[in-house]
Amino acid sequence: MNVLVCIKQVPDNAVVPKLDAATNRVVKDGVETMVSPFDLNAVEAGLKLVEEHGGEVSVLSVGDDSCKTTLRIGLSMGAAKAYLVNDPALEDSDTWATSYTLAKAIKSIGEFDVILCGKQAIDDDAGQVGAGIAEQLGISQITYVNEIKEVTADTLTAKRVSPAGEEVVEAKLPVLLTCEKSLNEPRYPTLKRTRMANRAEIPVMDCAAIGADAAKVGKNSPSAIKKLYTPAPRQSGELIKGEAEEIGKIAVQKLVEQKII
Ligand SMILES: Cc1cc2nc3c(=O)[nH]c(=O)nc-3n(C[C@H](O)[C@H](O)[C@H](O)COP(=O)(O)OP(=O)(O)OC[C@H]3O[C@@H](n4cnc5c(N)ncnc54)[C@H](O)[C@@H]3O)c2cc1C
């Protein structure tokens, strides 16, 4: 079984994000980074699948050269191979362009039975890229997976979380899953694997190498951010003090004044 996991480098969530109003971007330069946490659940799920069914896990990122650090975390957990797509033309890509690029990269790397993504990245929080990759590749998808129940030669059955509760879904292979935190507990890298990961060569591919049309990505993406801003802090509520009857009267009076009742 060949498994590919898409992992994204995100700003460390211990850092309060700063916004650049001029570019409508979150400031990422000089900010500590981490692997988006749901992607670690995806790597863990991939490693468990190959432990049970054989094969190997590959990890893939789209981003700049610093994303090699992110990919090395995947390798140190147990992934066999890592790939980076880095091309200046990809800067300012929206979620469609990111899905398109990842799908093109996956096709150029090889054949995979299972592709895993996090349910969402914790910086831009779109939750669209996994579904977008499956659509671009024309394969089945099961989103918000919190348990992989069974894998056969042709199918994978998983439990997914939905607003209505939980659903058990069977999909044909190849399949793309987006992973919930409750799916598993990501393992810690071993010292031996960390050393190997630090020495590993990570192939870097540009748009031409993966057959992606540079005219469809980056600044040519179908959508553009018009405005990025931090919402104004909410006003604190008013505390009414006094006897219960008096508080009730004042509260009703205020609700009438504000035309709420
Ligand atoms: C017009 C526009 C311009 C933008 N410009 C920039 C920019 O200049 N720089 C920038 O950093 N962001 C930019 N973004 C945000 C960027 O599009 C998103 O970060 C990206 O498309 C993924 O969306 P997300 O992080 O919300 O992913 P989600 O859909 O929440 O991610 C789900 C999963 O998809 C996978 N995934 C997502 N992105 C990657 C990746 N890069 N590599 C590997 N796996 C991945 C992971 O498994 C992740 O858990 C821009 C967005 C728009 C709309």
Side-chain angles (χ1 to χ4, degrees), residues 6-8 25 28 39 60-62 91-95 98 102 117-118 120-121 123-130 223-225:
C6 296
I7 59 178
K8 186 181 182 193
R25 296 275 168 273
K28 294 186 180 173
D39 299 356
L60 167 66
S61 261
V62 173
E91 207 174 308
D92 283 350
S93 283
D94 70 359
T95 45
T98 305
L102 283 162
C117 289
Q120 70 196 78
D123 53 353
D124 295 296
D125 277 325
Q128 295 174 352
V129 170
S223 68
I225 298 171

Side-chain angles (χ1 to χ4, degrees), residues 205-220:
M205 303 170 289
D206 60 11
C207 285
I210 60 170
D213 183 351
K216 290 184 174 174
V217 298
K219 294 187 169 47
N220 302 316

